[in-house]
Amino acid sequence: MAVVMTAPTTTTAAAGPAALSETGEMETTLRGVGVSHGVAIGEVRHMGTAVLEPPAKQIPAEDAEREQGRARQAVEAVAADLMARGNLAGGEAQAVLEAQAMMAQDPELMADVERRIAVGSTAERAVYDAFAAYRDLLAGAGEYLAGRVADLDDVRNRIVARLLGVPMPGVPDSDEPYVLVARDLAPADTALLDPTLVLGFVTEEGGPTSHSAILARALGVPAVVALPGAGELAEGTMIAVDGSTGEIFVNPSDQKKAQLEAAAAERKAALAASTGPGATSDGHKVPLLANIGGPADVAAAVEAGAEGVGLFRTEFLFLDDDKKAPAEAKQVEAYRQVLEAFPEGRVVVRVLDAGADKPLDFLTPADEPNPALGVRGLRSLLDHPEVLRTQLTALAKAAEGLPVYLEVMAPMVADRIDAKAFADACREAGLQVKFGAMVEIPSAALRARSILQEVEFLSLGTNDLAQYTFAADRQVGAVSRLQDPWQPALLDLVALSAEAAKAEGKSCGVCGEAASDPLLACVLTGLGVTSLSMGAASIPYVRATLAKYTLAQCERAAAAARAADTAEDARNAARAVLSGE
Ligand code: PEP
Ligand code: MG
């Protein structure tokens, strides 16, 4: 068994029986959402997700203190383990794992556990019940909190497993490479996946822009999410996962495996041959930049040949402490490490994007009925100008004396007033760099020219732009159809923004996950986007595909995609134009 990296294929296989596998089983095709390129062929191993429900037995009052001690010890051990996994993993994964460790140590949750033990629960049952109560609260408290339920369940399972002395739930123990299948993957598991053992993964839940999908791409492991019935694939079944098309071939025939392997070999050769700056075959330059979460992601970006950073998600620096922002000196150090890695390159830093799926206690209001539509992103920074000022001052200091082209942008800009407020804050902090606005809200795309009166560039955050255009939460697998970045309405908004930037003589990049789809990258180029920023692992794929087509072909593909009515038709129309069908 081996990981086979392959090109995004250009066929759309229909679901259903095809041929017999070598073991005489019928080959079938399932379709989910491909979120991380490449093909993996191997046996299914399921994630150990069984919810351990400890029996509800009554303990004598004199045992309560001992049980409370056990509970505290287990919580501390699990938190320490999560922190250690975070240190090992580094980058974006570290921040996510540290946030989970903080969940485990939540003082209110611990107080609830102790209260339950005082009235007769065992430690494991008290943990189980206290987390269940907290879980219900999260699940009913708005979409972004509901999105954290998987993380909370994972923390609970780890503490209960430790108290019961049973193996931790999570990645299966196996010396043989396998394809990991799970309902959803908790960050603690994705962070530690060993790419030499885990050939790829498939989940029943999750959408293309969920944080699990982003982590999968960061790891460079082929992945398909939102696959209904994934949990029913029998342990040990042979499957082939195509992370580009979202197809899963169950019991693939020898012919299918050979076909996938041949496509993979061809693709590998093309990838190896493609180096240098991003450009179409006729030399139209489209800089390929990396999305990073901090200094730990820089090495992979440099190795993939990133021409700079198109999105530095700085919020990961803010997750260590939920009471206050990191000190200016600590921020200067982190920014400088990133800036030094790209001498004379372009580094676009996004100021803190807190709120919604990334809440921070000291910034995010706790009582919003709908946090995704509340005070988040730039809105919370304008409410806390001291946090913005410290960040901008730290950035100015970090860039001092370096030849790097630092650029700074704000998330969630809605209109010209927002853009002006951000530009004023940059000027007041003495930043002598370009400042820009992310286009994540449809209003910003519709009125892009007005926003460009205040800032010097636009960067399309297509993850949130899709979320707000289609009123479809990016964390919810059930609405992943609407999160598809091929949706023609989303392409229209990209085109509007790019046209506005061109008319103003300014630039308009894409830094949402849309940029990491090689075919869509060609379409975005055809729509007039001037740079593409993505997880480092996707850069070689995008570079190789873009280099195959002229700008005029990309423009024709873009027009064909926009003329379609559905995401699938848009994808097929662009494919047909580019393959000359
Ligand atoms: C986006 O919304 O597309 C984006 C790039 O920002 P994030 O994924 O961090 O919200
Ligand atoms: Mg966003």
Side-chain angles (χ1 to χ4, degrees):
M1 271 172 265
V3 137
V4 185
M5 305 300 284
T6 187
T9 73
T10 50
T11 53
T12 14
L20 287 187
S21 75
E22 58 206 300
T23 54
E25 310 266 10
M26 189 65 86
E27 177 186 304
T28 48
T29 308
L30 306 171
R31 187 187 288 279
V33 178
V35 295
S36 184
H37 303 301
V39 164
I41 302 174
E43 287 182 7
V44 168
R45 293 276 176 279
H46 284 273
M47 190 80 162
T49 52
V51 177
L52 311 152
E53 183 170 350
K57 62 178 189 232
Q58 194 73 12
I59 56 160
E62 62 268 27
D63 289 352
E65 211 169 302
R66 183 173 49 85
E67 286 296 283
Q68 286 169 339
R70 279 181 67 227
R72 275 194 300 274
Q73 261 178 7
V75 164
E76 286 312 316
V78 166
D81 175 54
L82 288 165
M83 294 296 280
R85 283 162 169 259
N87 280 337
L88 256 180
E92 296 186 12
Q94 179 165 16
V96 177
L97 289 168
E98 287 175 359
Q100 269 194 304
M102 268 155 56
M103 263 182 195
Q105 290 168 309
D106 185 289
E108 276 183 37
L109 206 55
M110 199 57 225
D112 190 21
V113 169
E114 296 195 347
R115 248 189 326 270
R116 288 170 192 271
I117 296 175
V119 296
S121 262
T122 59
E124 45 272 22
R125 185 71 205 192
V127 167
Y128 188 84
D129 289 340
F131 271 74
Y134 193 42
R135 184 188 204 282
D136 290 347
L137 212 78
L138 280 193
E143 284 139 311
Y144 86 96
L145 284 176
R148 313 200 78 189
V149 160
D151 297 1
L152 187 74
D153 285 349
D154 179 58
V155 173
R156 186 239 1 235
N157 289 349
R158 282 169 196 279
I159 302 173
V160 172
R162 181 168 281 272
L163 284 164
L164 291 174
V166 299
M168 290 289 160
V171 178
D173 272 343
S174 171
D175 297 333
E176 288 295 310
Y178 58 87
V179 177
L180 184 65
V181 178
R183 216 175 93 72
D184 204 353
L185 282 170
D189 302 314
T190 41
L192 278 199
L193 288 181
D194 175 353
T196 61
L197 276 183
V198 181
L199 301 169
F201 56 72
V202 177
T203 67
E204 197 151 342
E205 292 290 331
T209 60
S210 64
H211 288 100
S212 287
I214 293 173
L215 285 170
R217 281 187 286 267
L219 269 176
V221 178
V224 171
V225 301
L227 182 82
E232 282 142 42
L233 287 167
E235 188 84 0
T237 309
M238 178 61 69
I239 60 172
V241 180
D242 189 333
S244 306
T245 61
E247 286 164 318
I248 307 286
F249 303 98
V250 184
N251 298 313
S253 62
D254 286 350
Q255 191 196 358
K256 174 61 73 187
K257 284 197 234 168
Q259 185 189 325
L260 287 169
E261 274 160 9
E266 200 182 299
R267 182 65 172 174
K268 219 171 163 184
L271 281 181
S274 120
T275 52
T280 56
S281 63
D282 55 338
H284 171 74
K285 288 203 169 21
V286 188
L288 303 180
L289 310 167
N291 289 355
I292 64 166
D297 296 333
V298 162
V302 172
E303 199 188 328
E307 294 165 61
V309 170
L311 169 63
F312 178 178
R313 291 182 161 102
T314 56
E315 46 281 3
F316 293 97
L317 299 172
F318 286 70
L319 295 177
D320 280 353
D321 188 342
D322 60 354
K323 303 277 179 305
K324 58 178 184 339
E328 186 187 293
K330 188 176 169 199
Q331 293 193 44
V332 172
E333 195 189 314
Y335 302 146
R336 202 162 171 98
Q337 279 181 51
V338 172
L339 295 177
E340 278 172 348
F342 293 95
E344 309 202 7
R346 177 176 172 214
V347 175
V348 185
V349 179
R350 172 174 77 187
V351 293
L352 179 63
D353 182 21
D357 54 340
K358 294 167 277 198
L360 277 181
D361 275 3
F362 66 96
L363 283 183
T364 312
D367 53 355
E368 290 183 326
N370 195 340
L373 303 182
V375 181
R376 61 161 297 199
L378 178 64
R379 301 166 186 182
S380 48
L381 289 176
L382 295 178
D383 278 359
H384 295 83
E386 70 294 348
V387 175
L388 179 58
R389 199 177 315 118
T390 305
Q391 191 171 20
L392 294 174
T393 311
L395 280 164
K397 288 190 178 166
E400 256 167 38
L402 294 180
V404 67
Y405 297 103
L406 170 66
E407 299 182 7
V408 180
M409 67 183 180
M412 297 291 292
V413 171
D415 62 4
R416 185 169 174 174
I417 292 178
D418 275 354
K420 179 170 185 329
F422 178 63
D424 285 346
C426 289
R427 280 187 284 265
E428 276 159 32
L431 261 177
Q432 314 230 316
V433 304
K434 284 191 181 174
F435 21 87
M438 287 187 75
V439 177
E440 305 189 275
I441 306 175
S443 61
L446 292 165
R447 303 307 299 264
R449 280 195 84 162
S450 129
I451 286 173
L452 283 165
Q453 304 312 304
E454 306 293 344
V455 294
E456 288 156 89
F457 67 92
L458 299 177
S459 181
L460 285 144
T462 47
N463 308 335
D464 276 313
L465 188 57
Q467 162 162 273
Y468 294 118
T469 302
F470 296 100
D473 191 313
R474 57 193 279 191
Q475 305 288 95
V476 176
V479 293
S480 63
R481 175 180 84 75
L482 297 166
Q483 277 287 337
D484 189 328
W486 281 93
Q487 285 279 2
L490 187 68
L491 301 181
D492 285 349
L493 292 174
V494 171
L496 270 181
S497 310
E499 281 157 14
K502 189 170 180 198
E504 294 294 329
K506 296 184 173 176
S507 64
C508 175
V510 170
C511 67
E513 296 303 309
S516 65
D517 173 334
L519 195 65
L520 186 50
C522 297
V523 166
L524 296 172
T525 301
L527 293 173
V529 156
T530 52
S531 64
L532 297 164
S533 190
M534 64 208 84
S538 301
I539 291 178
Y541 290 95
V542 170
R543 184 195 289 119
T545 307
L546 197 58
K548 290 206 300 210
Y549 306 109
T550 62
L551 176 60
Q553 281 176 304
C554 293
E555 284 168 352
R556 280 199 296 279
R562 277 185 78 189
D565 286 322
T566 67
E568 195 181 345
D569 288 351
R571 193 183 280 114
N572 290 337
R575 229 176 235 158
V577 169
L578 292 178
S579 61
E581 279 167 24

